[in-house]
Amino acid sequence: MIRVNRNHLYLKTLPVSSILCPLCGASGKMEMAFYQVQIETDNIHNTRKITASVSCSNCNKDIPNIRWNNGLDEFYRTEKKQIKVITSFKIGTKGKVLLWIAGIFFGAIFILLAVLYIYGHMKSK
Ligand SMILES: [Zn+2]
């Protein structure tokens, strides 16, 4: 049995300006908090999935996802693209491996060119 937890890592809160609250109709009183969904198993796997919650300081209520109006939907979609999510250590290791492969690859090309250069010089004499 594998234990799986779902955590929501807090990312940031942004004021939602010039959008009317779907519950009380007040303008510019809402805040949107962004969270990154983290799936936790034996190792921790972060995912790129982002969720958000909206609260209104005028009516002191959280606006459930289903009550979001077009303005809130669009705000969420635009801001979501700007957010750089924390990637998991697995991707970090993969990145290092890719860097190593790239290093070896370019090193090999350099040696090959050097050998060809030397060979060309020897031949012309
Ligand atoms: Zn409200």
Side-chain angles (χ1 to χ4, degrees):
M1 190 66 189
I2 304 160
R3 185 179 60 93
V4 179
N5 283 329
R6 231 167 197 274
N7 297 325
H8 287 81
L9 293 175
Y10 172 75
L11 296 170
K12 62 173 174 177
T13 305
L14 291 172
V16 185
S17 54
S18 69
I19 295 167
L20 300 177
C21 171
L23 301 179
C24 70
S27 174
K29 298 282 181 187
M30 290 183 292
E31 276 186 343
M32 192 179 280
F34 291 86
Y35 300 88
Q36 185 184 340
V37 180
Q38 186 188 56
I39 314 286
E40 194 182 308
T41 55
D42 293 336
N43 302 312
I44 296 169
H45 298 272
N46 287 337
T47 62
R48 287 169 182 274
K49 192 175 155 60
I50 287 173
T51 58
S53 71
V54 181
S55 63
C56 172
S57 64
N58 191 56
C59 58
N60 278 316
K61 276 174 188 162
D62 291 333
I63 296 117
N65 216 301
I66 45 160
R67 293 294 302 273
W68 286 13
N69 51 30
N70 288 340
L72 281 172
D73 276 336
E74 209 180 302
F75 186 86
Y76 169 66
R77 256 179 275 141
T78 329
E79 291 302 325
K80 198 170 78 162
K81 283 179 202 154
Q82 314 290 320
I83 294 174
K84 286 187 177 73
V85 295
I86 306 142
T87 51
S88 80
F89 65 90
K90 287 219 164 187
I91 288 161
T93 314
K94 247 184 221 168
K96 269 181 205 164
V97 169
L98 281 174
L99 220 71
W100 263 100
I101 292 167
I104 291 162
F105 182 72
F106 285 112
I109 286 175
F110 180 77
I111 291 162
L112 190 76
L113 286 174
V115 166
L116 282 174
Y117 180 79
I118 292 160
Y119 184 73
H121 263 255
M122 279 163 66
K123 218 179 174 185
S124 64
K125 274 180 187 172

